[in-house]
């Protein structure tokens, strides 16, 4: 029999077995395995927890290698300035300081002072001519101890000639001051992108009965995972081998990028992404600090550690959002939505370094027709440079779906209120109907499955919506302000099919490699990288479901590029849709081989066998069976002649489509007319992420995501002054909610499986961050609509509420 | 973030501390709870050459009622205020404030004396002590003296403590029967400084406010009393109209700055609203109607 | 720049070291004593990832100098389990999915321990206020509250037994 590698590694393009196309919606989590197997649907306690609860996690800053030294960074106090001189002599003369690396040094080392971004733009690693954002890395210092490095950066003297900062993206589009004079075209306008049909949409608007228009600004925010970014780079000069511990959500992709940029051979680079303290998209970009750390190790031939401070993290690392949106929504006489027009200015900062799939400079933003059936839509986005840090795609946004959903849910609410219709009924009237799936949206998406009515109905029942509306009227008559806000979002995750999705050219498949040992225990490795999502447990449950092997007997590993199969990492809620699918597919290959072994051992044809939880048994004679453990042992000791030994498989899964989780959230707020304070009285979240692997983990993802939706809705905003200096550069002013601000979320669910995913699952991590902010904003505006308040940008703070009330003549 | 280097002393007695301060002069800074100083040092906004750590001087931490006043040692942790029965029973405004200073972990270290000596108008105790008409006891090289709270805060981050003087004790006059006090703080989130806060201590005589003192937090460069509001309320019945007028007076007489916590007009209006709510709550306590 | 010899007892073991006055306690614990369970998450005493117990008080160890801990008894997350048995809080966090990335968890555990030592039967509101000095980005706090309630129940039951 052939023993080529390709026999064991298959690319998938056909629709896999599992789930039919017309998918009904249920409430019940499907559990088909006993608890000793602990397959899908079980509330399995997490396998990764024992080390975390005992303080034995291994995060990058926990890595200590012999002869390790420390890097710290000198950063720019100006948003835009020429660099006249860098004098590091005093720093270099300090005992314990080993080196200072500047842009000039990187240039000499092989033009390493610039690097490619994920959007095929370029970004300075270290500057030579000028700096283009406040807190930009200017040069790095390496010293024997962390504290000496911290002292040394104070001793580096940099002479700047300040230039006019470019802070307002609309002014930036006027090109009076150019941010990137390194570019051939002297303009701040980076790209223009469109989706939908302009002519058809114009026609719809011309014929519309009602049109509402609103300007919506989603300010810059920052993921602020509790662990900041960092790296330990360890170059072994003797072996020519670079070992890197890195806070990376995508270690393989990072390895390939490093190889391409540095010229180091890829097989001699090992990236280990150990335990990661939260990613949320902030650990996808390649930051200048990483490159400098690796170069430092290359030059010094010893391990170099760089761990950023929180201030550095907040001020220089990839931000999220910063979309200036003008939206128009059209409806006919019956109050049916007919069209959507959206213009958006994307403030990209000083480089287009958003972590998008390469063909999508505005990510998946064109999902913005949302859960609503409409005739036409036209979306345009323009990206512009400003003198601010680069980035844009982070903070659990699913590649700009947070922006898209916030816009459509605000617009739908504005339209409903303007027409005097109840916002829930208006949505129910306009939802895409279950029989319309798979649904082709006016901007070209094919939604796999959905049942928006069921989700909203469930949320309305859970919160007793009609009673709340009655209460609102009664309170309003007494001058009390109460608001109810709805958000019925459609998410789009699981990037993505190779036809359309790549990151710097690398297709966005993902992978699973499963190997079963003779004694029936298994090892499963993946190309994704959990930063808290629980893959060590959920992937084990998927494999357990397929093979009947207890999840406790399946060791899941991710993050070491030397051992894990190639994958594109974990972000944008893609792991379950891609690597989760690969897990099922690889397990099915193993099962197919196990069936052959079973037929051989039981001396029957394969067609005479049926699967029962964890065994193949002879149809009609269930006592004649072989368990998966017995089959694994046989794979090494008693397999048929001509068959390869072993019981393992690898799958690189190319998803046929994205998946479309959805949900309805309802938020109730009470406003204080005196202080403007907003109290969230209740928040019900009904989510549909298809088939559920571990309900407890899904709840955790939703609750965590809801708090990360609350945060931008009411607390978080990166604020720059007119000089481009970051005023919210520490947690003293960049406000993360505590357990007091975060409400007691109430969760519900519907289950509408994905018809194309092998286990019918969709992914869920970002749904709540997508759905929550508009529910909250809608509630607050709803409370004041009768006073003439139409819209408030997030974060909706007590001061904004107070100002709106006083403007409307309302006081305490 | 890493502080710059410094020399460090941890005297075991107050005399030792005073002698150190006298010898070291303005190269030395006192370390009490450290919850304001150490963060400043980590950002190198403060880089004292020498730290004199008072935390080993254990007889500076106490909370005891002595006849006509509550005596609080300067090194008393905020948490101790939360867990001392006499405070909850007879000095509820002090408890109100203690519960909203920073967060529970910071309160295990932060000290009452430090909160006052730092003279940060954003801190909570200054307004409370102004409302209580507290006295401050300080020890210097030449002995002890008492400073009236009205004379303590003289500038931004500046008290009237002399160089080399250590704030050792705070004395709060025991409220007479018919007294009530309250502290209400508006903050952006738990753990933040006040957007604005109001401290009220009053004495009722029947239905009239016999006397009243009001302290304001974070709406002026120096911790201040709302004297015009006090004047509008003293000797008056607390009607809606009188409370509103007092609120407006306080809003007008304070001088908030615009910052990330709020614009000037917003902060002023918060003061107006808080004056009314805090006075009402103080009255409810004076009447025994709420704890 | 003064160097000081300090002796601390940490998780029951005594250690003597010479340290710079400016060495933050969290760095002493993590680097000098190699107890990396305590984490650094911010630079403004805001996040609580560095919470340890010093002489029975839960404290943010990034805002204390190691020299201040001379003679002190310190407990970190590594000392919570006794003789291989998890502390009820550790059990609760595991049972109730009170953690995801695990980075805030040691600080949460130490903070919760202090809360329950002072208030063995906290209300939900008291729990939320009790952990307001600890930031979590992953969990949304609900399951942390449930984990602490689990531990409170277990600790009360064990006491009563």
């Amino acid at each position: 029999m052939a023993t080529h590698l390709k026999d064991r590694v298959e690319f998938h393009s056909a629709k896999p077995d599992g789930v039919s196309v017309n998918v009904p919606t249920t409430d019940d989590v499907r559990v088909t395995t006993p608890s000793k197997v602990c397959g899908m649907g079980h509330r399995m306690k997490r396998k990764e927890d024992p080390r975390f609860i005992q303080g034995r996690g291994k995060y990058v800053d926990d890595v200590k290698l012999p002869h390790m030294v420390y890097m710290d960074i000198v950063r720019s106090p100006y948003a835009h300035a020429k660099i006249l001189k860098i004098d590091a002599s005093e720093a270099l003369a300090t005992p314990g300081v080993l080196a200072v690396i500047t842009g000039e040094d990187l240039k000499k080392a092989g033009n390493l002072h610039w690097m490619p971004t994920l959007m095929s733009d370029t970004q300075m690693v270290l500057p030579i001519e000028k700096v283009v954002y406040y807190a930009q890395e200017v040069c790095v210092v390496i010293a024997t101890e962390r504290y000496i490095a911290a002292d040394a950066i104070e001793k580096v003297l940099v002479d700047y000639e300040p230039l006019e900062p470019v802070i307002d993206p609309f002014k930036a589009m006027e090109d009076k001051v150019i941010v990137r004079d390194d570019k051939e075209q002297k303009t701040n306008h980076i790209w223009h992108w469109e989706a939908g049909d302009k002519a058809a949409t114009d026609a719809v608007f011309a014929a519309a009965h009602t049109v509402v228009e609103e300007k919506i600004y989603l300010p810059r925010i920052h993921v602020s995972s509790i662990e900041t970014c960092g790296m330990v780079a360890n170059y072994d000069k003797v072996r020519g081998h670079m070992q890197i511990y890195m806070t990376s959500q995508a270690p393989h992709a990072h390895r390939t990028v490093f190889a391409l940029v540095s010229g180091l051979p890829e097989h001699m680079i090992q990236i280990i992404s150990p335990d990661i303290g939260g990613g949320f998209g902030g650990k996808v970009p390649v930051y200048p600090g990483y490159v400098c750390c690796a170069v430092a190790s290359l030059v010094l031939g010893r391990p170099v550690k760089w761990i950023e401070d929180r201030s550095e993290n907040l001020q220089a690392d990839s931000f999220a959002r910063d979309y200036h949106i003008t939206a128009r929504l059209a409806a006919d006489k019956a109050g049916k939505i007919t069209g959507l027009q959206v213009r958006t200015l994307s403030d990209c900062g000083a480089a287009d370094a958003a972590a998008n799939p390469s063909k999508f400079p505005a990510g998946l933003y064109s999902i913005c027709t949302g859960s609503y059936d409409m005739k036409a839509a036209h979306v345009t986005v323009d990206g512009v440079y400003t003198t601010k840090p680069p980035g844009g795609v982070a903070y659990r946004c699913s590649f700009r779906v947070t922006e898209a959903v916030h816009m459509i849910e605000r617009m739908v609410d504005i339209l409903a209120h303007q027409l005097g219709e109840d916002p829930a009924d208006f949505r129910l009237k306009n939802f895409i109907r279950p029989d319309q799936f798979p649904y082709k949206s006016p901007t070209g998406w094919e939604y796999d499955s959905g049942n928006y009515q069921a989700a909203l109905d469930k949320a309305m029942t859970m919160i007793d919506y009609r009673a709340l509306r009655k209460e609102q009227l009664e309170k309003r008559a007494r001058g009390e302000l109460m608001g109810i806000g709805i958000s019925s979002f459609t998410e789009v995750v699981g990037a993505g099919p190779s036809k359309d999705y790549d990151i710097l050219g690398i297709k966005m498949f993902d992978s699973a490699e499963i190997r079963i040992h003779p004694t029936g225990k298994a090892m499963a490795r993946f190309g994704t990288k959990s930063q808290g999502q629980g893959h060590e447990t959920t992937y084990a449950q998927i494999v357990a479901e397929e093979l009947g092997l207890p999840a406790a007997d399946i060791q899941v590993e991710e993050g070491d590029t030397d051992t894990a199969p190639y994958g594109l990492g974990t972000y944008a809620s893609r792991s379950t849709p891609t690597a989760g699918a690969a897990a099922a597919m690889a397990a099915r290959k193993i099962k197919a081989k196990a069936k052959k072994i079973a037929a051989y051992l039981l001396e029957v044809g394969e067609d005479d066998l049926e699967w029962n939880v964890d065994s193949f048994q002879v149809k009609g004679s269930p006592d004649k069976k072989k368990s998966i453990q017995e089959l694994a042992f046989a794979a090494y000791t008693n397999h048929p002649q001509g068959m390869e030994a072993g019981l393992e498989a690898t799958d690189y899964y190319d998803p046929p489509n994205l998946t479309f989780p959805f949900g309805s959230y309802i938020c109730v707020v009470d406003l204080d007319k005196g202080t403007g304070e907003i109290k969230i009285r209740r928040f019900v979240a009904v989510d549909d992420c298809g088939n559920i692997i571990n309900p407890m983990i899904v709840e955790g993802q939703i609750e965590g995501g809801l708090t990360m939706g609350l945060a931008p809705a009411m607390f978080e905003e990166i604020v720059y002054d007119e000089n481009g200096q970051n005023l919210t550069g520490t947690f003293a002013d960049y406000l993360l909610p505590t357990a007091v601000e975060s409400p007691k979320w109430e969760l519900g669910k519907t289950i509408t499986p994905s018809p194309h995913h092998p286990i019918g699952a969709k992914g869920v991590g970002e749904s709540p961050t997508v759905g929550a902010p508009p529910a909250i904003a809608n509630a607050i505006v709803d409370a004041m609509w009768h006073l003439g308040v139409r819209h408030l940008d997030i974060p909706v703070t007590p001061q904004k509420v107070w100002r709106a009330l006083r403007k409307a003549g309302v006081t305490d | 973030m890493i502080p710059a280097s410094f020399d460090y002393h941890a005297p075991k007695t107050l005399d030792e501390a005073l002698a150190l301060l006298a010898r070291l002069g303005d190269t030395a800074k006192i370390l009490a709870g450290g919850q304001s100083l150490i963060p400043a040092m980590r950002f190198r906004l403060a880089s004292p050459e020498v730290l004199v750590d008072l935390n080993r001087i254990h007889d500076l931490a106490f909370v005891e009622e002595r006849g006509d006043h509550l005596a609080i040692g300067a090194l008393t942790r905020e948490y101790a205020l939360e867990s001392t029965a006499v405070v909850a029973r007879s000095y509820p405004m002090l408890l109100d404030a203690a519960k909203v200073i920073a967060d529970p972990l910071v309160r295990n270290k932060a000290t009452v004396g430090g909160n006052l000596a730092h003279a940060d108008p954003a801190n909570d105790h200054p307004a409370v002590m102004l409302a209580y008409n507290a006295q401050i006891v300080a020890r210097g090289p030449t002995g002890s003296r008492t400073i009236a709270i009205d004379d303590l805060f003289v500038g931004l981050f500046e008290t009237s403590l002399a160089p080399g003087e250590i704030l050792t004790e705070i004395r709060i006059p025991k409220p007479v029967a018919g007294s009530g006090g309250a502290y209400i703080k508006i903050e952006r989130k738990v753990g933040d400084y006040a957007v604005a806060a109001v401290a009220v201590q009053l004495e009722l005589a029947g239905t009239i406010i016999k006397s009243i003192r009001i302290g304001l937090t974070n709406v002026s460069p120096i911790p201040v009393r709302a004297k015009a509001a006090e004047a509008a309320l003293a000797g008056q019945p607390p009607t809606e109209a009188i409370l509103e007028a007092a609120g407006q007076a306080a809003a007008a007489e304070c001088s908030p700055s615009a910052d990330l916590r709020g614009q000037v007009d917003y902060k002023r209006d918060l003061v107006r609203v808080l004056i009314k709510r805090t006075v009402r709550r103080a009255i409810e306590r004076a009447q025994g109607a709420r704890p | 720049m003064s160097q000081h010899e300090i002796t601390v007892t940490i998780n029951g073991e005594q250690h003597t070291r010479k340290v710079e006055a400016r060495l933050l306690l969290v760095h002493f614990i993590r680097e000098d004593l190699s107890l990396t369970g305590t984490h650094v998450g911010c630079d403004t005493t805001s996040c609580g990832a560095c919470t340890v117990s010093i002489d029975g008080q839960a404290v943010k160890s990034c805002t204390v100098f190691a020299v201040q801990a001379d003679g002190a008894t310190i407990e970190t997350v590594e000392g919570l389990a006794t003789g291989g048995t998890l502390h009820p809080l550790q059990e609760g966090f595991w049972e109730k999915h009170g953690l995801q990335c695990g980075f805030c968890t040691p600080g949460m555990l130490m903070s919760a321990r202090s809360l329950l030592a002072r208030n063995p039967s906290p209300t939900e509101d008291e729990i939320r206020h009790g952990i307001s000095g600890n930031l979590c980005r992953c969990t949304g706090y609900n399951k942390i509250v449930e984990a602490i309630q689990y531990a409170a129940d277990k600790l009360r039951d064990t006491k009563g037994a």
Side-chain angles (χ1 to χ4, degrees), chain A residues 43 45-47 49-50 52-57 59 61-62 64 70 145-148 151 222-228 276-278 280 305 309-312 395-396 531-533 696-697 699-701 703-705 707-708 711 716 730-732 734 736-740 742-746, chain C residues 20 22-25 27 30-44 46-47 49 77-78 80-81 86 89-91 93-106 109 124-125 127-143 145-146 149:
Chain A
R43 294 179 74 89
K45 271 163 56 167
R46 294 197 334 166
K47 301 171 89 214
D49 285 0
F52 294 133
I53 56 179
Q54 298 183 77
R56 301 253 195 265
Y59 303 89
D61 197 14
D62 300 339
K64 220 157 65 168
Y70 296 85
E145 287 169 35
R146 200 193 298 256
Y147 280 43
I148 295 177
D151 289 338
H222 193 285
V223 299
S224 308
S225 46
I226 306 300
E227 181 204 32
T228 60
I276 307 291
F280 314 115
K305 175 182 273 191
D309 295 326
R310 176 59 61 187
S311 321
E312 298 179 281
Y395 209 119
R396 279 173 109 144
Q531 319 105 41
Q533 294 90 331
M696 193 168 69
I697 288 182
E699 288 162 19
Q701 289 298 299
E703 287 168 355
T707 299
M708 282 184 94
E716 291 182 27
T730 71
F731 281 166
Y734 190 76
L736 269 59
T738 69
V740 173
S742 187
K744 187 167 183 167
W745 308 111
E746 297 171 64
Chain C
E20 271 187 82
R22 65 171 172 164
L23 179 66
L24 299 174
L25 181 62
H27 288 142
R30 288 179 53 78
E31 315 275 332
D32 291 64
L33 300 181
S34 298
L35 290 165
T36 56
T38 305
H39 299 142
V40 176
C42 77
D43 40 26
T44 45
S46 309
C47 78
V77 64
E78 289 95 336
L80 267 185
L86 293 176
L89 276 167
Q90 291 170 307
E91 236 183 79
F93 271 68
W94 196 5
E95 283 293 327
K96 295 294 179 181
H97 189 33
L99 64 145
Q100 291 179 28
C101 82
F103 202 76
C104 78
T105 305
L109 287 167
E124 177 166 346
D125 196 55
I127 292 175
R128 287 179 180 271
H129 275 92
I131 59 171
S132 61
N134 296 83
L135 295 176
C136 173
R137 237 4 193 171
C138 296
T139 66
Y141 301 107
N142 271 13
K143 290 186 181 332
V145 171
E146 288 169 24
Q149 286 167 331

Side-chain angles (χ1 to χ4, degrees), chain A residues 344 449 456 462 731 748 781:
Chain A
T344 302
S449 67
L456 182 52
M462 282 175 70
F731 281 166
V781 173

Side-chain angles (χ1 to χ4, degrees), chain A residues 489-543:
Chain A
F489 64 92
T490 292
E491 251 275 59
V492 53
V493 300
S498 54
K499 184 163 64 77
D500 293 315
Y501 294 89
D502 66 90
I503 300 248
L504 281 182
I506 306 171
K507 298 297 183 186
M508 294 183 74
F509 54 85
D510 228 285
S511 58
E513 181 187 306
I514 306 173
R515 175 171 303 138
I516 308 186
H517 303 320
T519 53
K521 312 289 189 233
M523 160 136 286
R525 292 178 166 144
F526 296 84
T528 50
K529 177 60 210 168
S530 174
Q531 319 105 41
Q533 294 90 331
H535 295 171
E536 288 172 45
T537 308
T538 55
Y539 289 165
Q541 288 182 260
I542 295 174
V543 177

Side-chain angles (χ1 to χ4, degrees), chain A residues 17-81:
Chain A
D17 303 328
V19 188
S20 73
V21 176
N22 288 320
V23 279
T25 299
T26 70
D27 274 48
D28 297 315
V29 177
R30 199 180 69 191
V31 178
T32 61
T33 55
S35 51
K36 82 160 162 57
V37 169
C38 220
M40 284 184 56
H42 284 275
R43 294 179 74 89
M44 183 179 190
K45 271 163 56 167
R46 294 197 334 166
K47 301 171 89 214
E48 45 267 85
D49 285 0
R51 64 183 185 273
F52 294 133
I53 56 179
Q54 298 183 77
R56 301 253 195 265
K58 190 168 189 179
Y59 303 89
V60 172
D61 197 14
D62 300 339
V63 173
K64 220 157 65 168
L65 299 177
H67 312 297
M68 190 171 76
V69 296
Y70 296 85
M71 187 182 98
D72 208 338
I73 303 183
V74 176
R75 294 183 179 271
S76 170
Y78 294 103
H80 200 193

Side-chain angles (χ1 to χ4, degrees), chain A residues 147 150-151 154 309 311 672 674-675 677 715 719 727-728 730 732-733 735-736 738 740-741 798-799 802-803 806 811-812, chain B residues 1-5 43-44 185-190 192 244 260-266 269-270 272-274 276-277:
Chain A
Y147 280 43
D151 289 338
E154 308 267 307
D309 295 326
S311 321
D672 182 322
T675 62
E677 284 171 304
F715 297 94
V719 177
L727 298 178
T728 49
T730 71
D733 284 302
L735 306 175
L736 269 59
T738 69
V740 173
E741 287 77 39
Q799 181 173 226
W802 174 87
R803 204 167 286 291
R806 295 296 181 268
T811 184
D812 63 321
Chain B
M1 293 237 138
I2 312 298
S5 297
F43 278 89
R44 306 201 181 196
K185 172 178 178 177
I186 302 295
E187 48 187 359
R188 296 177 298 177
K189 60 171 261 198
V190 166
D192 196 14
E244 175 63 30
L260 290 169
R261 291 191 180 83
Q263 302 284 300
V264 172
D265 57 352
Y266 175 58
D269 204 52
L270 281 183
R272 180 187 65 84
V273 170
L274 286 176
K276 295 192 287 184
R277 293 184 187 180

